[in-house]
C-alpha cells in the first residue's frame, strides 16, 4: 500500500519511481515501524527529487544474508543536504521546528534492530544515496539464527 501511494505521488510530481522490494524482507517489522521507515525515507526522497529534470527514486529492499536486510535508495537531489557538525540532517523547510522528526523515527528503528545507515551526496550526479542494514529478528525479538 505504501509503495502504491508513493508511485502515485511520484507520478504526480514527474519523478520516476523504481521499487524492488523482495517478499518477506521486512516481515519482522511491526506495521507501525514499517510505515515510519518507508514513509519517512520516501517522503525525503520525493521532496529532494521533485522539480529535478529526469528525476528518479530507485528503492531496493532485500535480504543481504539470512539474518541481515539491506535497504538501498538512490534519488535525484539537486540541492546538497544540510547537516550539523555531528552529521545529523537539517531540513530545508522554512518551518524547521515542525519538521525533522522522520529521521529521528528512522534512527529509533535502526537502534532497535541493530541497524546502521550510511548516506552520501554525489554533487556531480546530483544524487543522494542511502544504505541501511538491519538485523532480522524473530517475532519474539531475538535475532534469527
Amino acid at each position: 500500500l505504501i509503495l502504491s501511494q508513493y508511485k502515485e505521488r511520484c507520478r504526480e510530481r514527474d519523478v520516476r519511481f523504481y521499487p524492488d522490494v523482495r517478499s518477506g524482507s521486512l516481515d519482522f517489522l511491526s506495521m507501525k515501524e514499517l510505515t515510519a521507515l518507508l514513509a519517512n525515507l520516501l517522503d525525503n526522497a520525493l521532496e529532494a527529487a521533485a522539480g529535478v529534470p529526469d528525476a528518479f527514486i530507485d528503492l531496493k529492499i532485500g535480504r543481504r544474508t539470512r539474518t541481515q536486510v539491506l535497504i538501498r535508495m538512490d534519488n535525484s537531489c539537486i540541492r546538497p543536504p544540510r547537516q550539523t557538525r555531528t552529521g545529523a540532517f537539517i531540513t530545508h523547510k522554512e518551518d524547521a521546528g515542525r519538521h525533522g522528526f522522520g529521521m529521528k523515527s528512522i534512527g529509533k528503528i535502526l537502534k532497535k534492530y541493530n541497524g546502521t545507515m550510511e548516506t552520501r551526496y554525489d554533487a556531480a550526479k546530483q544524487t543522494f544515496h542511502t544504505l541501511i542494514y538491519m538485523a532480522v529478528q524473530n517475532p519474539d525479538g531475538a535475532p534469527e539464527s
Side-chain angles (χ1 to χ4, degrees):
L1 185 62
I2 295 168
L3 296 177
S4 294
Q5 177 187 15
Y6 279 90
K7 183 176 182 179
E8 180 61 23
R9 289 180 66 193
C10 285
R11 187 191 61 75
E12 290 169 356
R13 297 185 75 179
D14 201 26
V15 174
R16 292 170 288 140
F17 182 42
Y18 305 107
D20 179 4
V21 180
R22 301 302 162 139
S23 179
S25 297
L26 299 174
D27 285 353
F28 62 97
L29 296 175
S30 72
M31 282 299 186
K32 184 177 178 180
E33 292 167 334
L34 180 63
T35 301
L37 181 66
L38 291 181
N40 284 305
L41 286 172
L42 289 166
D43 272 348
N44 291 341
L46 182 56
E47 182 182 329
V52 176
D54 297 318
F56 70 92
I57 297 172
D58 185 8
L59 174 67
K60 291 181 177 27
I61 301 174
R63 298 272 176 115
R64 185 168 182 242
T65 66
R66 200 168 53 80
T67 60
Q68 190 177 53
V69 168
L70 170 63
I71 300 172
R72 178 183 174 166
M73 187 166 63
D74 302 316
N75 59 275
S76 300
C77 182
I78 202 163
R79 187 165 55 165
R82 295 175 23 198
Q83 291 180 276
T84 65
R85 280 181 254 125
T86 62
F89 291 104
I90 304 170
T91 185
H92 283 285
K93 296 175 183 169
E94 289 182 24
D95 55 346
R98 301 183 71 199
H99 297 281
F101 301 106
M103 293 305 293
K104 290 176 185 168
S105 295
I106 291 170
K108 288 178 184 177
I109 294 166
L110 294 178
K111 184 176 181 178
K112 179 178 177 180
Y113 294 100
N114 299 314
T116 61
M117 181 167 66
E118 301 169 20
T119 59
R120 71 178 173 84
Y121 177 68
D122 184 330
K125 294 183 180 179
Q126 294 184 323
T127 306
F128 191 77
H129 305 275
T130 304
L131 286 175
I132 293 175
Y133 299 93
M134 287 190 295
V136 176
Q137 294 188 1
N138 289 318
D140 65 2
E144 283 193 6
S145 53

